[in-house]
Amino acid sequence: MIEARRLHILRAVADHGTVTAAAAALYLTPSAVSQQLTALEQETGHKLVERGARGVRLTAAGEILLTHTNAVLAQLERAEAELAAYRTGEAGTVTLASFATGIGLVVGPALGHLAISSPGIRVRVQDAEGDASLPMLLDRRIDVAVAVEYRGAPGADDDRITRVPLYAEPFDAVLPATHRLAGAEWIRLGDLSQDTWIGPYPGNPCHDVVVLACEHAGFSPQFEHSSDDFRAVVALASAGAGVALVPRSALRGVDLAEAAVRPVDAVAPERKVFAAVRHGAEAHPLIRPVLDALRRAAGG
């Protein structure tokens, strides 16, 4: 008989690539993870992982078991959802992670909706960058992630998660007020190819959006200054330190007295935001109202 907790460990190792990283995500010791993998191999009668200098990778048998693991864990989530639904008047806590702008734009309003529609549901909110919340979700550290599209993100066809689209917003060009193009009606990104750039750190999903947009315009932006705080990015642009692309919602309430904000010509780069839960959990009586409230707050 294969134990479900060992399947969780197998998936964590596959997701993180090393026993040490999987152990940290699961709050276990590396030796405990290794022991559980060994036990799982004994249960199945197959070698499931191969260890190398750069970490571990699944064998062909491990990949087969991982496919079934995703289906089994999703079914267990559904079972929990149905059992929870069987109890009427359920109240409890849902843990949600979102990036800062998402908290302001949809999570905060969603909490207001829930206070009226589902007063028994308590939502604990954690601030996490748009690329950090999905690993937290898969590691079962949170119940709901508000995340953004980025290179390497689990796709809409990933059988580990269920995604709910929330909104998409364009990036605007932010220039110093004294910039040569500050008076333009709109900005062609190619015209900024020789400028110094300000932007998020590599790894931040917005960094990927900016780099890809500039690459499509025929150049690679030269980042001189980096910050994941868009208020800091705007402050640097206002001081004449460079130019930037900033999601439109991140400019709300920011001092723009010394900056020029202009739309981008042609197809503007976008930040696509969605909510995600582990596949099978979308019908849970605590999670479903949270997803509905997020969708309503996003105007869906």
Side-chain angles (χ1 to χ4, degrees):
M1 179 72 69
I2 297 174
E3 292 191 18
R5 63 191 177 98
R6 290 175 181 153
L7 296 180
H8 281 295
I9 289 173
L10 179 69
R11 186 160 80 177
V13 169
D15 287 341
H16 293 280
T18 69
V19 168
T20 300
L26 297 172
Y27 300 101
L28 297 172
T29 64
S31 62
V33 170
S34 294
Q35 290 170 7
Q36 292 298 318
L37 287 175
T38 299
L40 185 59
E41 289 179 331
Q42 292 172 347
E43 287 174 344
T44 61
H46 291 279
K47 185 176 179 59
L48 301 175
V49 298
E50 292 181 343
R51 293 168 173 80
R54 296 185 178 180
V56 296
R57 69 178 185 85
L58 298 189
T59 64
E63 292 289 354
I64 291 172
L65 183 57
L66 180 64
T67 299
H68 290 285
T69 292
N70 291 332
V72 168
L73 296 182
Q75 189 60 42
L76 288 175
E77 294 280 359
R78 293 189 190 97
E80 291 180 4
E82 289 188 20
L83 288 171
Y86 195 70
R87 299 189 298 269
T88 60
E90 184 68 52
T93 299
V94 174
T95 303
L96 179 152
S98 171
F99 56 101
T101 309
I103 292 174
L105 196 62
V106 293
V107 176
L111 296 185
H113 297 320
L114 284 169
I116 298 171
S117 64
S118 303
I121 298 177
R122 174 173 173 256
V123 180
R124 295 177 57 243
V125 179
Q126 300 179 21
D127 187 342
E129 289 298 335
D131 59 335
S133 58
L134 292 178
M136 294 168 67
L137 179 72
L138 292 173
D139 291 338
R140 303 181 68 85
R141 287 181 281 162
I142 60 172
D143 302 306
V144 181
V146 175
V148 301
E149 293 284 4
Y150 62 93
R151 284 190 282 195
D157 59 347
D158 193 301
D159 58 5
R160 297 172 298 171
I161 63 173
T162 296
R163 297 167 33 140
V164 176
L166 294 179
Y167 66 91
E169 61 173 325
F171 282 62
D172 289 325
V174 180
L175 318 173
T178 56
H179 192 276
R180 66 187 184 282
L181 298 176
E185 183 178 352
W186 41 260
I187 299 297
R188 268 193 339 127
L189 284 184
D191 291 338
L192 302 177
S193 62
Q194 301 304 310
D195 282 82
T196 297
W197 279 75
I198 310 159
Y201 286 100
N204 185 311
C206 290
H207 177 89
D208 285 348
V209 173
V210 173
V211 170
L212 286 173
C214 292
E215 287 176 353
H216 288 156
F219 71 99
S220 295
Q222 300 303 306
F223 289 100
E224 185 72 20
H225 310 285
S226 297
S227 175
D228 288 333
D229 185 335
F230 286 117
R231 289 180 180 272
V233 170
V234 172
L236 288 168
S238 298
V243 301
L245 288 176
V246 176
R248 188 166 291 171
S249 67
L251 295 171
R252 295 179 181 178
V254 177
D255 183 2
L256 300 171
E258 300 300 325
V261 178
R262 297 292 180 266
V264 176
D265 184 29
V267 180
E270 283 188 326
R271 174 162 67 173
K272 296 179 180 178
V273 180
F274 59 93
V277 298
R278 289 181 297 276
H279 192 53
E282 60 274 9
H284 193 287
L286 293 179
I287 293 177
R288 185 179 61 251
V290 174
L291 294 176
D292 290 343
L294 288 169
R295 193 184 293 113
R296 178 180 175 186

